[in-house]
Amino acid sequence: MAATYTFDVFSSLDGYGGVSGGDWGGYWGKQGPELLDHRFALYETGQRMVFGANTYRAFAQILAEGAEESVRDPWVTRMRNLPATVVSTTLNGPLDWPDATVVSGDAVDVVARLKAESEVPLRSHGSLSMNRALMAAGLVDRVQVTIFPVITGRTGDAPIFRGAADFDLELIESRTLDGNIQELTYRPTLHV
Protein backbone atom coordinates (compact mmCIF):
# COMPACT_ATOMS: atom_id res chain seq x y z
CA MET A 1 0.00 0.00 0.00
CA ALA A 2 1.34 3.43 -0.94
CA ALA A 3 2.05 6.02 1.73
CA THR A 4 -0.33 8.99 1.91
CA TYR A 5 1.10 12.29 0.67
CA THR A 6 -0.23 15.57 2.14
CA PHE A 7 0.49 18.97 0.60
CA ASP A 8 0.22 21.30 3.61
CA VAL A 9 0.21 25.05 2.97
CA PHE A 10 -0.61 28.32 4.73
CA SER A 11 -2.60 30.85 2.70
CA SER A 12 -4.12 34.29 2.83
CA LEU A 13 -7.81 34.37 1.84
CA ASP A 14 -6.77 35.57 -1.62
CA GLY A 15 -4.47 32.60 -2.19
CA TYR A 16 -0.99 33.88 -1.39
CA GLY A 17 1.54 31.82 0.54
CA GLY A 18 3.60 34.78 1.65
CA VAL A 19 4.03 38.52 1.58
CA SER A 20 6.55 40.89 0.10
CA GLY A 21 6.93 43.94 2.28
CA GLY A 22 4.38 45.22 4.71
CA ASP A 23 4.37 44.58 8.44
CA TRP A 24 2.41 41.33 8.64
CA GLY A 25 4.95 39.11 10.40
CA GLY A 26 4.78 35.32 10.56
CA TYR A 27 1.33 33.74 10.17
CA TRP A 28 0.18 37.22 9.11
CA GLY A 29 0.10 37.97 12.86
CA LYS A 30 -3.08 35.90 13.30
CA GLN A 31 -1.90 32.73 15.05
CA GLY A 32 -3.38 31.78 18.37
CA PRO A 33 -3.06 28.95 20.88
CA GLU A 34 -5.48 26.59 19.08
CA LEU A 35 -3.55 26.84 15.81
CA LEU A 36 -0.20 26.34 17.52
CA ASP A 37 -1.44 23.36 19.58
CA HIS A 38 -3.05 21.80 16.51
CA ARG A 39 0.12 22.20 14.42
CA PHE A 40 2.15 20.66 17.25
CA ALA A 41 -0.18 17.64 17.31
CA LEU A 42 -0.01 17.28 13.48
CA TYR A 43 3.72 16.71 13.71
CA GLU A 44 3.55 14.32 16.67
CA THR A 45 3.07 11.13 14.67
CA GLY A 46 5.71 9.46 12.55
CA GLN A 47 5.96 10.92 9.06
CA ARG A 48 8.54 12.02 6.52
CA MET A 49 8.78 15.60 5.31
CA VAL A 50 9.37 16.28 1.61
CA PHE A 51 10.74 19.64 0.46
CA GLY A 52 11.83 21.17 -2.79
CA ALA A 53 15.24 22.86 -2.81
CA ASN A 54 13.91 26.43 -2.63
CA THR A 55 11.68 25.73 0.38
CA TYR A 56 14.46 23.85 2.13
CA ARG A 57 16.83 26.80 1.57
CA ALA A 58 14.24 29.27 2.89
CA PHE A 59 13.51 27.18 6.00
CA ALA A 60 17.20 26.57 6.68
CA GLN A 61 17.98 30.30 6.37
CA ILE A 62 15.09 31.42 8.56
CA LEU A 63 15.82 28.80 11.19
CA ALA A 64 19.54 29.61 11.21
CA GLU A 65 18.93 33.34 11.57
CA GLY A 66 16.02 33.03 13.98
CA ALA A 67 14.61 35.94 11.97
CA GLU A 68 10.98 35.31 12.84
CA GLU A 69 9.67 34.71 16.32
CA SER A 70 7.40 32.02 14.83
CA VAL A 71 10.43 29.87 14.00
CA ARG A 72 10.69 29.14 17.72
CA ASP A 73 7.19 27.65 17.83
CA PRO A 74 7.30 24.07 19.13
CA TRP A 75 5.61 22.64 16.02
CA VAL A 76 8.40 24.03 13.80
CA THR A 77 11.01 22.37 16.02
CA ARG A 78 9.06 19.12 15.84
CA MET A 79 8.81 19.38 12.02
CA ARG A 80 12.55 20.07 11.76
CA ASN A 81 13.31 16.93 13.76
CA LEU A 82 11.31 14.62 11.49
CA PRO A 83 13.15 12.72 8.75
CA ALA A 84 13.12 14.74 5.55
CA THR A 85 13.77 14.24 1.87
CA VAL A 86 14.89 17.29 -0.10
CA VAL A 87 14.36 16.92 -3.84
CA SER A 88 17.02 18.90 -5.67
CA THR A 89 19.29 18.88 -8.66
CA THR A 90 21.40 21.72 -7.18
CA LEU A 91 21.97 20.85 -3.51
CA ASN A 92 24.48 18.38 -2.12
CA GLY A 93 24.58 16.91 1.37
CA PRO A 94 25.10 17.09 4.17
CA LEU A 95 22.31 19.55 4.90
CA ASP A 96 21.82 21.74 7.95
CA TRP A 97 18.80 19.67 9.02
CA PRO A 98 19.03 16.89 11.62
CA ASP A 99 17.77 13.98 9.50
CA ALA A 100 17.58 15.20 5.90
CA THR A 101 18.61 13.43 2.73
CA VAL A 102 19.06 15.08 -0.66
CA VAL A 103 17.66 13.09 -3.55
CA SER A 104 18.52 14.26 -7.04
CA GLY A 105 16.03 13.87 -9.85
CA ASP A 106 12.57 14.79 -10.98
CA ALA A 107 10.20 15.33 -8.04
CA VAL A 108 7.48 13.20 -9.66
CA ASP A 109 9.81 10.20 -9.91
CA VAL A 110 11.29 10.75 -6.44
CA VAL A 111 7.91 11.09 -4.71
CA ALA A 112 6.38 8.17 -6.61
CA ARG A 113 9.25 6.02 -5.31
CA LEU A 114 8.89 7.44 -1.77
CA LYS A 115 5.15 6.73 -1.76
CA ALA A 116 5.80 3.13 -2.79
CA GLU A 117 8.58 2.54 -0.26
CA SER A 118 7.71 4.64 2.81
CA GLU A 119 6.24 3.00 5.87
CA VAL A 120 5.05 6.38 7.21
CA PRO A 121 2.89 9.13 5.68
CA LEU A 122 4.60 11.86 3.66
CA ARG A 123 3.95 15.58 4.24
CA SER A 124 5.21 18.67 2.48
CA HIS A 125 4.82 22.14 4.00
CA GLY A 126 5.22 24.74 1.26
CA SER A 127 7.25 23.74 -1.82
CA LEU A 128 4.61 25.27 -4.10
CA SER A 129 5.95 24.52 -7.59
CA MET A 130 6.99 21.00 -6.64
CA ASN A 131 3.57 20.25 -5.15
CA ARG A 132 1.71 21.68 -8.17
CA ALA A 133 3.68 19.21 -10.34
CA LEU A 134 2.95 16.36 -7.92
CA MET A 135 -0.76 17.20 -7.96
CA ALA A 136 -0.79 17.16 -11.76
CA ALA A 137 0.87 13.72 -11.65
CA GLY A 138 -1.80 12.40 -9.26
CA LEU A 139 0.63 11.89 -6.36
CA VAL A 140 -0.99 14.23 -3.81
CA ASP A 141 -3.62 12.46 -1.71
CA ARG A 142 -4.56 15.40 0.48
CA VAL A 143 -4.33 19.17 0.12
CA GLN A 144 -4.43 20.78 3.56
CA VAL A 145 -4.89 24.55 3.28
CA THR A 146 -4.81 26.69 6.41
CA ILE A 147 -6.48 29.99 5.51
CA PHE A 148 -5.62 33.02 7.60
CA PRO A 149 -8.15 35.86 7.83
CA VAL A 150 -6.28 38.39 5.70
CA ILE A 151 -6.35 39.71 2.14
CA THR A 152 -2.90 40.58 0.87
CA GLY A 153 -3.80 42.27 -2.41
CA ARG A 154 -0.87 44.71 -2.36
CA THR A 155 1.77 42.68 -0.53
CA GLY A 156 0.89 39.06 -1.34
CA ASP A 157 3.46 36.93 -3.09
CA ALA A 158 3.88 33.24 -3.86
CA PRO A 159 0.43 32.58 -5.37
CA ILE A 160 -0.18 29.01 -4.25
CA PHE A 161 -2.08 27.61 -7.21
CA ARG A 162 -1.02 29.95 -10.05
CA GLY A 163 -0.19 27.81 -13.05
CA ALA A 164 -1.64 24.64 -11.49
CA ALA A 165 -3.81 22.23 -13.43
CA ASP A 166 -7.57 22.18 -12.80
CA PHE A 167 -8.80 19.99 -9.94
CA ASP A 168 -12.05 18.91 -8.39
CA LEU A 169 -11.78 18.91 -4.60
CA GLU A 170 -13.63 16.68 -2.16
CA LEU A 171 -13.71 18.21 1.32
CA ILE A 172 -12.71 15.48 3.77
CA GLU A 173 -12.09 17.57 6.90
CA SER A 174 -12.54 21.14 8.13
CA ARG A 175 -11.95 22.97 11.37
CA THR A 176 -11.93 26.50 12.71
CA LEU A 177 -8.98 27.46 14.90
CA ASP A 178 -8.83 30.46 17.21
CA GLY A 179 -12.26 31.55 15.97
CA ASN A 180 -11.14 32.80 12.55
CA ILE A 181 -8.52 30.53 10.92
CA GLN A 182 -9.88 27.83 8.61
CA GLU A 183 -8.10 24.54 7.99
CA LEU A 184 -9.58 22.74 5.01
CA THR A 185 -8.41 19.31 3.89
CA TYR A 186 -9.36 18.11 0.42
CA ARG A 187 -8.87 15.05 -1.74
CA PRO A 188 -7.85 16.41 -5.18
CA THR A 189 -8.85 14.81 -8.46
CA LEU A 190 -7.55 16.11 -11.78
CA HIS A 191 -10.44 17.74 -13.65
CA VAL A 192 -10.64 16.38 -17.18
Side-chain angles (χ1 to χ4, degrees), residues 85-114:
T85 297
V86 179
V87 182
S88 175
T89 56
T90 58
L91 289 172
N92 296 308
L95 300 176
D96 185 18
W97 201 269
D99 187 9
T101 305
V102 178
V103 179
S104 183
D106 180 78
V108 169
D109 297 332
V110 170
V111 171
R113 196 168 46 254
L114 280 173

Side-chain angles (χ1 to χ4, degrees), residues 3-67:
T4 302
Y5 185 99
T6 300
F7 170 25
D8 172 12
V9 65
F10 288 172
S11 177
S12 62
L13 180 63
D14 51 345
Y16 291 98
V19 292
S20 171
D23 60 354
W24 292 102
Y27 309 105
W28 293 276
K30 304 299 182 186
Q31 75 277 16
E34 284 183 333
L35 172 77
L36 297 176
D37 289 347
H38 176 66
R39 295 300 295 181
F40 189 70
L42 275 177
Y43 289 91
E44 186 172 28
T45 60
Q47 56 194 312
R48 172 172 286 280
M49 299 303 299
V50 180
F51 300 112
N54 291 335
T55 296
Y56 164 76
R57 283 185 191 105
F59 279 153
Q61 180 180 3
I62 290 170
L63 290 166
E65 294 174 355

